[in-house]
Amino acid sequence: MSYEFAWLDYRKGVASRAADLLKKIALTGFDDAAATDKDILFSAELELKRASRDICGQEAVFVRDEAVSDGINIVFDKSLGLPEGAYGIEIDGTRITVKASSACGILYGVFRALALIRTGRISEKQITEVPTSPIRMLDHWDNPDGSIERGYSGKSFFFRNDHLYVDDRTREYARLVASVGINAVAINNVNVNDIATGLVSGYDRKELAMIAKIFGDYGIKLFISLNFASPMSLGATDTADPLDEGVAQWWKKTTDDLYKDIPGLGGFLVKADSEGRPGPFSYGRTHADGANMLARALAPHNGLLIWRCFVYNCQQDWRDHTMDRARACYDNFIGLDGQFDDNVILQIKNGPMDFQVREPVSPLFGGLKKTNMMVEFQIAQEYTGQQRDICYLIPMFKQVLDFKTYNGEGEGILCDLVTGKGLSRACGMVAVSNTGDDPNWTGHDLAAANLYGFGRLAFDPTLSSEEIADEWSRLTFGYDDTVAEGVSKMLMMSWPAYEKYTSPLGIGWMISPGHHYGPDIEGYEFSPWGTYHRSDRNGLGVERGKTGTCMIDQYNEPIRSIYEGLDTCPDELVLFFHRLPYDHVLKSGKTVIEHIYDSHFEGVLDVEEMIGIWESLKDRIDELRYKRVADRLQGQLRNAKEWRDRINTYYYRHSGVPDKQGRMIY
Ligand code: GCV
């Protein structure tokens, strides 16, 4: 399938004065670079050629190892001592200088300088950027048959017909995500099927190595998701017990072989003992036993073992009110703190449940003190509109990163913990990817703001959501203040709007079972998945405080007391933590039932406002993209109305409380 260039289409978004800078370019230190750096530096050079051709209509004049006074100077100099991936940019009107001590720093600096030129932001004098998060990763849930679990943008561009597939789109993908600083990518689904099991033992090895090489040219490490029971599935052993010598030997040999062909491999990603996947529990072993066994096979190659903490009982009895899925992640891992090898990282979902539109932060971040941690976000909008509805998730991610966990002495800001600044050692941020082979990569054109934004935020979490939205819009739709203002406003409205017209006050889980789009209020209510809201004629919510499942006790003080107290618990999470009657008065002054009615009516009005903004931009946006977004907005409006009417009607029928404002409830 053909593809577009998303925010890297240099024919769009150029401030003309700045474009002149692209006529003369000096590259210093490139020719003497080590072989491993040269490939990345070459990608930076290619980028400058491409940008100058597309922006100025002809390729820049390139000079080597001499400075230019009017144009761009790119200086690769290890003696500058800038950290890995960091760069400095100096601007003095007729000249831009990009400096870095690592090849990746040069690549990121070039992408940044081009973005500044295109958005006309060349008045700043000096910028130095150091990536905050050491690992900035995307996890793809792509399957060998080309399908993508929770994929909403077409098919996989890594796999087709049970084989890995490499073409020019592979390189375009690497270029796209490297432009926002992504440096690690897992290409296959954590739910590893039989064919993908073979990825570690030889299947499509040539293609795997080709992908690793292309990624490497853009400073990206390739990761493979693996099946914990691979030695058994492939018939080599009759057990997958991590303490069995034969199993450990098989993994060691398999890993050594893999690294012979792919020396730059990043490592493995594992989902174990989760939703039916095999894991160490079957052998009475712990997650630390399982993770360390694999980590030891990787250690001689400096590989990393990323182990997911999404472990819970998915065979729950809905009648049992004492069991609480929200407790599971913490309960399963807290006792293992300090038992993991240095090259193991625990990958923890941002919330204790599963990527709902609103969840508290997972308490595990505040609990682990001696373990490497990485936060896992989802930019694939599984529960947040599936890239049919707009839902700009960067403001949510920022709230999570800013969360004070009180892990240890100080405030234990989550962002510090996962980036190595605080108590934990260096780790990072990961997002479940939202890309596929749709021409625009992300299905909904505006969903690309989440891909762009995640990378930018992982690189620099101090950026505001508004800044990221504005920058993305200008790079995507062109140098137009009106468009940038309108698009940014739509993006900034979209997460609150989605939250308003879906399930209220942090309770979540009222989506259609299985595919997770659209409302189905009791869809999961009597299921084994542990996701209940327990609505009845008296009220709704799950009591997780002292009189309930005590999940709140997993948080450190003062968070514990804040969540426990009805007068201190934030409204947006109150039904996550407490069971409340319909007439309970929230901090907002509204009762629970009034909040439900009002927010659902408001959510639909917000979508109508977004449509109005988009329509006002009609003549400023190319026809194809204008129409694509306009069509999706109409679908979003239908969806929002369906949510509004089903939820309001359901709660009117349950509570018997009429809407004070007399609005239409069925
Ligand atoms: C990859 C949720 C999704 C699953 C996903 C799982 C996970 O349960 O619905 O599709 O599986 O999360 O994160 O492992």
Side-chain angles (χ1 to χ4, degrees), residues 141 149-150 189-191 271 275 308 310 349 354 382-383 516:
W141 288 354
E149 182 153 349
R150 313 304 176 188
N189 191 355
V190 287
N191 290 331
K271 170 176 178 178
E275 300 187 328
R308 294 179 85 228
F310 184 58
K349 285 193 181 183
D354 191 11
E382 175 178 359
Y383 298 98
H516 297 169

Side-chain angles (χ1 to χ4, degrees), residues 641-654:
K641 286 182 177 167
E642 196 61 25
W643 273 98
R644 176 196 67 191
D645 293 341
R646 285 211 208 179
I647 299 262
N648 283 349
T649 301
Y650 179 92
Y651 285 104
Y652 171 57
R653 289 180 186 173
H654 275 61

Side-chain angles (χ1 to χ4, degrees), residues 140-141 149-150 152 189-192 271 274-275 277 308 310 312 325 347 349 353-355 376 378 382-383 432 509 514 516 524 529:
H140 287 260
W141 288 354
E149 182 153 349
R150 313 304 176 188
Y152 312 107
N189 191 355
V190 287
N191 290 331
V192 182
K271 170 176 178 178
S274 166
E275 300 187 328
R277 310 310 301 164
R308 294 179 85 228
F310 184 58
Y312 68 98
R325 169 167 164 181
Q347 181 170 303
K349 285 193 181 183
M353 295 297 264
D354 191 11
F355 303 136
E376 178 178 346
Q378 191 189 46
E382 175 178 359
Y383 298 98
V432 177
W509 296 107
H516 297 169
Y524 275 111
W529 294 94

Side-chain angles (χ1 to χ4, degrees), residues 369-586:
K369 296 193 166 37
K370 292 172 277 182
T371 304
N372 299 329
M373 296 186 271
M374 206 152 139
V375 59
E376 178 178 346
F377 295 117
Q378 191 189 46
I379 51 175
Q381 295 168 234
E382 175 178 359
Y383 298 98
T384 48
Q386 306 200 345
Q387 291 147 242
R388 290 190 254 175
D389 296 14
I390 306 170
C391 192
Y392 178 56
L393 294 163
I394 305 306
M396 180 211 280
F397 299 168
K398 278 194 72 74
Q399 282 187 8
V400 172
L401 293 173
D402 289 346
F403 184 74
K404 294 174 185 162
T405 67
Y406 297 96
N407 181 336
E409 300 288 300
E411 292 179 328
I413 309 279
L414 190 143
C415 183
D416 292 346
L417 299 179
V418 300
T419 55
K421 237 172 103 185
L423 300 159
S424 150
R425 284 157 291 171
C427 309
M429 300 183 202
V430 55
V432 177
S433 183
N434 63 353
T435 51
D437 75 352
D438 275 359
N440 64 359
W441 300 84
T442 53
H444 200 309
D445 287 89
L446 269 53
N450 284 327
L451 180 63
Y452 181 88
F454 169 72
R456 292 286 286 133
L457 201 62
F459 205 91
D460 180 2
T462 65
L463 290 170
S464 73
S465 306
E466 290 86 347
E467 261 174 290
I468 295 174
D470 179 85
E471 188 178 282
W472 172 80
S473 168
R474 287 173 194 275
L475 294 175
T476 300
F477 293 110
Y479 189 70
D480 183 329
D481 289 342
T482 309
V483 172
E485 272 161 36
V487 169
S488 302
K489 177 144 197 244
M490 290 169 73
L491 290 173
M492 290 305 296
M493 291 175 71
S494 62
W495 174 46
Y498 197 83
E499 181 175 22
K500 285 184 208 169
Y501 66 74
T502 56
S503 74
L505 300 165
I507 188 73
W509 296 107
M510 295 180 181
I511 25 78
S512 288
H515 64 77
H516 297 169
Y517 183 79
D520 187 344
I521 300 157
E522 295 198 334
Y524 275 111
E525 200 51 22
F526 306 102
S527 80
W529 294 94
T531 50
Y532 316 117
H533 52 81
R534 306 203 193 279
S535 304
D536 62 19
R537 64 184 180 159
N538 300 315
L540 75 159
V542 177
E543 186 51 55
R544 295 191 158 109
K546 297 228 175 301
T547 58
T549 68
C550 296
M551 182 258 175
I552 290 178
D553 288 348
Q554 295 178 337
Y555 290 93
N556 297 315
E557 285 294 4
I559 316 165
R560 191 186 297 165
S561 300
I562 292 172
Y563 288 162
E564 185 75 40
L566 278 185
D567 50 345
T568 47
C569 185
D571 281 355
E572 66 271 14
L573 289 171
V574 77
L575 292 179
F576 185 94
F577 287 120
H578 297 286
R579 175 163 184 78
L580 296 175
Y582 293 111
D583 60 0
H584 170 84
V585 180
L586 298 165

Side-chain angles (χ1 to χ4, degrees), residues 25-91:
I25 299 174
L27 307 177
T28 299
F30 278 43
D31 295 340
D32 305 330
T36 43
D37 290 330
K38 270 198 172 134
D39 292 340
I40 299 175
L41 294 173
F42 186 62
S43 299
E45 186 176 340
L46 278 182
E47 203 56 37
L48 289 161
K49 288 190 171 156
R50 185 164 168 170
S52 59
R53 266 196 319 266
D54 283 354
I55 295 175
C56 308
Q58 66 184 55
E59 201 167 289
V61 174
F62 280 80
V63 296
R64 301 184 99 83
D65 295 319
E66 63 178 76
V68 294
S69 56
D70 53 340
I72 303 183
N73 290 290
I74 311 288
V75 182
F76 176 53
D77 181 356
K78 287 201 183 285
S79 73
L80 294 170
L82 283 165
E84 176 63 30
Y87 56 85
I89 301 181
E90 285 161 28
I91 303 169

